[in-house]
Amino acid sequence: MILYLHGFRSSPLSMKSRLLAAQMQALGREGQWLCPQLPASPKLAIELALSLVKDVAPAELTIIGSSLGGYYATWLAEQLGCRAVLLNPAIVPLIDLEQHVGVTTEFHSDKPFEFKREYIDELRTFAVEKITEPQRYFLIAATGDEVLDYRDMVAHYQGARQLVIDGSDHGISEFADYVAPVLAFCGIDADAAQ
C-alpha cells in the first residue's frame, strides 16, 4: 500500500501524484494507492493519514511525502515503522509556513483555505529530531529547490538512501524520470505494466 501526502497548497492533482497514480493503474494496483486531499490543520492531516492506513501492516506500507507531506511522512514512518519516500521534504515547516498564516488558495483549483496561526503549534507536535532507522527512508532532494534548502534535507536524512538531483526545482519537474526507483523502494516493479 502506498499513501501519498501532498505538500502545502498542493493536492492529489499534483504532477508527482498523478504520475505515480497512473503507473499504479497501469500495473493494475490502483487499489494499493491512496492520495487524499489533506486538511490545512496538521493535526487533522495526521489523523486522516492514520485512519487511512490503520489496518495496513507496516511492512506492507510506504508513505510518500512531498514538501510538507514529507514532514508528515517522516513522523508517520517513525510512529508506524513503515518505509517513507521523501520528495524535497520540509524539515522545519513551522519557520517556513509562518509567512502563510491567513487565507490562501490551493495550487490546482484556486480553492481558498485558511492556514491558522495555531497550525504552527500543531506542526511542532510532529517534529522528528532524528530518524531512527535510516534504511527505511529514501530521500530525493533537488539542489535547485527554490523553496527549501536541499542541504537541510541531506543532513536530516543522514544514512538514508539519497538521490540528490543537480538542479531541478521544488516540484521536481522531471519527476517522471524517478517514478521507477520510487516504486521500487515501495516494493513495486514499475516495469511490470500490463
Side-chain angles (χ1 to χ4, degrees):
M1 179 66 70
I2 295 175
L3 172 62
Y4 184 96
L5 303 177
H6 62 74
F8 183 71
R9 294 186 64 197
S10 193
S11 76
L13 297 175
S14 77
M15 175 265 300
K16 294 185 295 291
S17 171
R18 286 184 293 121
L19 283 168
L20 287 164
Q23 187 61 37
M24 289 295 281
Q25 185 171 16
L27 294 168
R29 298 179 83 157
E30 57 270 21
Q32 295 169 28
W33 170 259
L34 296 168
C35 182
Q37 177 65 54
L38 297 175
S41 159
K43 180 178 179 287
L44 294 179
I46 291 287
E47 287 175 3
L48 174 60
L50 286 169
S51 73
L52 290 172
V53 298
K54 68 181 186 314
D55 298 324
V56 182
E60 308 287 316
L61 175 64
T62 305
I63 302 173
I64 301 174
S66 174
S67 194
L68 182 58
Y71 181 79
Y72 295 156
T74 303
W75 186 86
L76 288 162
E78 287 293 316
Q79 301 304 307
L80 301 173
C82 65
R83 292 178 303 270
V85 178
L86 311 148
L87 310 171
N88 280 336
I91 306 301
V92 280
L94 43 147
I95 296 168
D96 301 319
L97 292 178
E98 182 72 37
Q99 64 187 321
H100 293 287
V101 169
V103 176
T104 189
T105 56
E106 293 175 6
F107 286 131
H108 307 102
S109 68
D110 287 332
K111 180 178 157 193
F113 71 93
E114 185 177 5
F115 187 76
K116 299 177 181 176
R117 183 155 305 282
E118 60 258 33
Y119 296 167
I120 300 290
D121 290 327
E122 288 180 14
L123 282 170
R124 281 189 183 88
T125 309
F126 305 113
V128 172
E129 203 62 43
K130 185 173 174 36
I131 57 170
T132 56
E133 295 183 51
Q135 72 278 8
R136 288 194 287 108
Y137 293 89
F138 178 21
L139 169 69
I140 298 181
T143 65
D145 188 326
E146 69 281 7
V147 178
L148 303 170
D149 190 331
Y150 82 97
R151 292 168 292 202
D152 295 337
M153 303 172 202
V154 168
H156 191 69
Y157 296 97
Q158 193 171 3
R161 178 174 173 193
Q162 297 189 357
L163 173 58
V164 178
I165 303 165
D166 188 22
S168 191
D169 51 37
H170 186 63
I172 311 177
S173 297
E174 66 292 332
F175 184 72
D177 298 343
Y178 306 107
V179 168
V182 165
L183 289 180
F185 188 80
C186 300
I188 296 169
D189 181 359
D191 295 326
Q194 298 170 339

